[in-house]
Every structure is written in C-alpha cells, then in structure tokens.
Amino acid sequence: MPSGGQYGDRQQLEQLQQAAPVSASPGGDVGAPEVVDPTASLVGFDAPTQQPDVPVTAGATLGDGPGPEALGLPNQPDEDMRRLIAYLPVFEHMANQPGSSKAARNLVRQLKGMA
C-alpha cells in the first residue's frame, strides 16, 4: 500500500481496488521454463549418417556433390581484391621500397593480374 497522501486516502484506495474486477494474467500460473540441452541434437562421429545420399565431400571445393557455389554467396576474397585495385599505385610504391616483403610484392602481382 502506498504511504503518504491525505487522511482517508488509503481507505478510499482499498475500496476502489476491491470494487474493480481483477483480470486474469495471460497464461495463468506457469511453472519454470523447460531447460533444453543444446547438445541433444548433435550427432556423434561414431553414429551412422543421417544423410546417406549426400557425399562426404558435399560443400567442399573438390570431390562429389555440390561445391561452395551452391551457397550462392559472392566470392568475398575476389571482391575485396577488386576493391584494392584502386590502391595499386600505393601498393606498388610500398613494394618497391628497400626491405619490402615478398608478401607485399606478391600482393602487387596479384592485383596487376586482376586489373
């Protein structure tokens, strides 16, 4: 019950609360939520296959079955490399510096090959 207010307000508030119908809470009395084991749906390595018609190499770049292209995703490394072509003059300058790494020179070669 709230405290404070004018003399007699508490009694009036109690009467109003008793006169108003109490609505049922949605769902009523609900017990504790069920705990779900996230590992229950995992299949062990020693278990028999659950997809006998799908080759083990499905999704890989080599072997039977569809490759990664079946996902319909863009080839992100190639897309990133195309964006880097705009910076080719900067990378060439970097690769031509004394002590430049093989990786820097290879990056420039790879970008020139894509241009």
Side-chain angles (χ1 to χ4, degrees):
M1 279 289 155
S3 60
Q6 299 292 331
Y7 179 78
D9 284 348
R10 180 176 174 172
Q11 184 179 5
Q12 184 180 4
L13 180 61
E14 287 178 3
Q15 290 172 347
L16 286 172
Q17 287 176 337
Q18 290 172 354
V22 178
S23 65
S25 63
D29 293 334
V30 179
E34 180 183 342
V35 177
V36 179
D37 181 9
T39 61
S41 64
L42 296 178
V43 178
F45 282 112
D46 58 347
T49 182
Q50 301 204 352
Q51 298 179 348
D53 297 332
V54 178
V56 173
T57 54
T61 54
L62 299 172
D64 293 337
E69 69 280 353
L71 298 173
L73 300 173
N75 190 348
Q76 192 63 39
D78 288 346
E79 189 175 317
D80 288 343
M81 291 299 284
R82 279 194 287 279
R83 290 181 182 158
L84 290 176
I85 290 174
Y87 300 99
L88 184 56
V90 175
F91 292 132
E92 283 181 317
H93 177 74
M94 175 189 67
N96 289 329
Q97 297 302 309
S100 176
S101 68
K102 284 184 178 180
R105 292 190 296 274
N106 286 337
L107 175 64
V108 169
R109 288 184 191 113
Q110 191 174 1
L111 288 173
K112 284 183 173 182
M114 294 182 75

